[in-house]
Every structure is written in C-alpha cells, then in structure tokens.
Amino acid sequence: MAPEKRTVKTTITENPVVVYSKTWCSYSSEVKTLLKKLGCEPLVIELDQLGPQGPQLQKVLERLTGQHTVPNLFIGGKHIGGCTDTVKLHRRGELESLLSEASAKKTEI
C-alpha cells in the first residue's frame, strides 16, 4: 500500500470525523461551520497547506472515493461526500445521528 493511501486509511479509521479541506474553499468552510454548530470538532486536514503532499493526498482520496473535490468528509471511517451531500444529510436529520454513532459529538453535561 502506498504511504499516502496508508496515511488516509489510518487517519479516517482513527478519527471519528475527518474533513479534507482547502483553506480558501467556501464549501469546505460551510461543512466545517456546520459540524462545529452541531457540537463536533472534526479533524481538519487543509490540503493546500501540506505542500507537495496535498495534491498527492487529493489523488489518493479521488481513487478511494471517486470524488476529486473538497470538502471530502468521513464520519466513522465512512465516506460521506462533499458539501452538498453533507447539507442534504443535515436537512434530512441524518447527519447528527451519524455523528452520534461515531461518538463524534461532545456530550452535554
């Protein structure tokens, strides 16, 4: 397995919520804001801040998911998709339960 692929697989397995993002992307910002609003602190990987590794990771993500754009969201190790997919899940009321199942939401005390 290529090191980048191993990195991606390990990252999405070991973290309940992972957002592959770019700092300048408005869709990425929308997803990150939505997750925070729902009480989730995702692991955010800003591909545009990784130097040459960024495009390599993006190619690996495309091979794994079929999606070449950011944001690229994973919850509980499962590929969710991009901004449109995430917002649709939220509108249907399914995003919060996915976050809960992945133990990604902070519990209220």
Side-chain angles (χ1 to χ4, degrees):
M1 192 184 294
E4 289 86 10
K5 188 173 182 184
R6 193 173 310 115
T7 301
V8 169
K9 292 250 186 217
T10 303
T11 302
I12 61 179
T13 305
E14 293 180 354
N15 297 280
V17 182
V18 181
V19 180
Y20 287 91
S21 168
K22 290 188 178 170
T23 53
W24 48 264
C25 173
S26 61
Y27 295 110
S28 294
S29 297
E30 191 177 332
V31 166
K32 292 182 286 193
T33 302
L34 174 61
L35 290 169
K36 285 205 169 72
K37 203 168 74 182
L38 295 175
C40 172
E41 290 292 331
L43 172 66
V44 177
I45 297 166
E46 300 291 2
L47 294 172
D48 59 329
Q49 295 186 328
L50 296 177
Q53 196 188 8
Q56 290 171 338
L57 282 177
Q58 194 160 0
K59 279 193 188 94
V60 169
L61 287 165
E62 184 175 3
R63 271 186 242 121
L64 287 172
T65 66
Q67 176 184 324
H68 66 278
T69 55
V70 292
N72 208 330
L73 173 65
F74 293 84
I75 298 176
K78 187 172 154 255
H79 181 242
I80 301 303
C83 183
T84 306
D85 306 298
T86 306
V87 169
K88 265 188 207 153
L89 280 173
H90 180 56
R91 288 204 181 114
R92 290 198 309 245
E94 295 170 24
L95 184 58
E96 288 193 74
S97 59
L98 282 173
L99 292 171
S100 296
E101 285 167 29
S103 305
K105 288 189 66 167
K106 291 194 192 120
T107 47
E108 302 293 316
I109 298 173

